[in-house]
Amino acid sequence: MTVEKDGLLVAADATQSDLDVEQSERPVFDSRELRVAYVLFVLLGIGQLFPFNTFIAAVDYFTMLYPDAHVEFAFSAAYLVTNVVSFAAVIRLGTRFTFSARIYAGLSVYMALFVAVPFIDGFFGSWSFPFMVFANCVTGCTDSVVQGALFGMAGRFPVKYTGAMMFGTGIAS
């Protein structure tokens, strides 16, 4: 059973020395750094969901390229299934890498996809639709890594920073 003490959820049988250790492990920042962190969490929230939204927002373009395919369904299913499945791997293996390493790696994959997507149709011809679906799968996997790291990082700050990240995610929609 957990109880709330000083804004933290702690075990009901926790001693004061346990709480002192938890409080001492939290980073201490000045007000300017916290304002910058708030803005950065908003931007990271935008960056976390933006790649998938670009695929969905351009559905008319992809429907024109692939008139016989159910683009919205294929892209959404590919993204969501791989996102949920890869979350299991992130939960199991995520602690092996730092938050910043996971975020940098994920954002780098996003950038590589943005560069590759315009060229996929020209290079792969009739095979371009499966490659676009695969790009959505990669986006789903990458999003689970980035999202897990962002929520983990935001969890080390007061609650309003998680709210800032969610605000950024809402802006990206």
Side-chain angles (χ1 to χ4, degrees), residues 7 14 28 41 52 63-64 92-93 114 120 123 146 154 161 165:
V28 178
F41 274 116
F52 173 66
T63 301
M64 182 190 71
R92 186 116 168 101
L93 304 171
F114 279 137
I120 288 177
F123 287 127
V146 171
Y161 295 90
M165 194 178 63

Side-chain angles (χ1 to χ4, degrees), residues 18-162:
D18 293 334
L19 295 176
D20 293 339
V21 170
E22 286 183 16
Q23 288 290 345
S24 67
E25 290 176 358
R26 296 182 95 176
V28 178
F29 300 104
D30 67 18
S31 63
R32 181 180 178 280
E33 289 173 321
L34 289 173
R35 285 192 304 270
V36 170
Y38 188 88
V39 171
L40 291 176
F41 274 116
V42 170
L43 293 174
L44 287 169
I46 292 169
Q48 175 247 325
L49 195 57
F50 185 74
F52 173 66
N53 285 340
T54 57
F55 279 109
I56 296 303
V59 73
D60 292 333
Y61 169 74
F62 289 117
T63 301
M64 182 190 71
L65 283 180
Y66 315 114
D68 298 332
H70 298 285
V71 175
E72 288 179 57
F73 174 76
F75 285 3
S76 296
Y79 171 83
L80 291 173
V81 168
T82 55
N83 185 271
V84 169
V85 170
S86 60
F87 258 127
V90 168
I91 290 169
R92 186 116 168 101
L93 304 171
T95 57
R96 295 183 183 188
F97 305 98
T98 64
F99 291 137
S100 59
R102 288 184 277 167
I103 293 169
Y104 288 141
L107 294 178
S108 298
V109 170
Y110 286 157
M111 287 192 316
L113 281 173
F114 279 137
V115 170
V117 164
F119 299 104
I120 288 177
D121 188 50
F123 287 127
F124 296 107
S126 64
W127 284 90
S128 64
F129 182 69
F131 277 98
M132 285 295 183
V133 173
F134 178 72
N136 273 275
C137 289
V138 172
T139 301
C141 289
T142 305
D143 186 41
S144 67
V145 172
V146 171
Q147 191 176 50
L150 286 175
F151 275 103
M153 185 184 297
R156 301 180 110 194
F157 287 82
V159 175
K160 74 177 189 175
Y161 295 90
T162 302

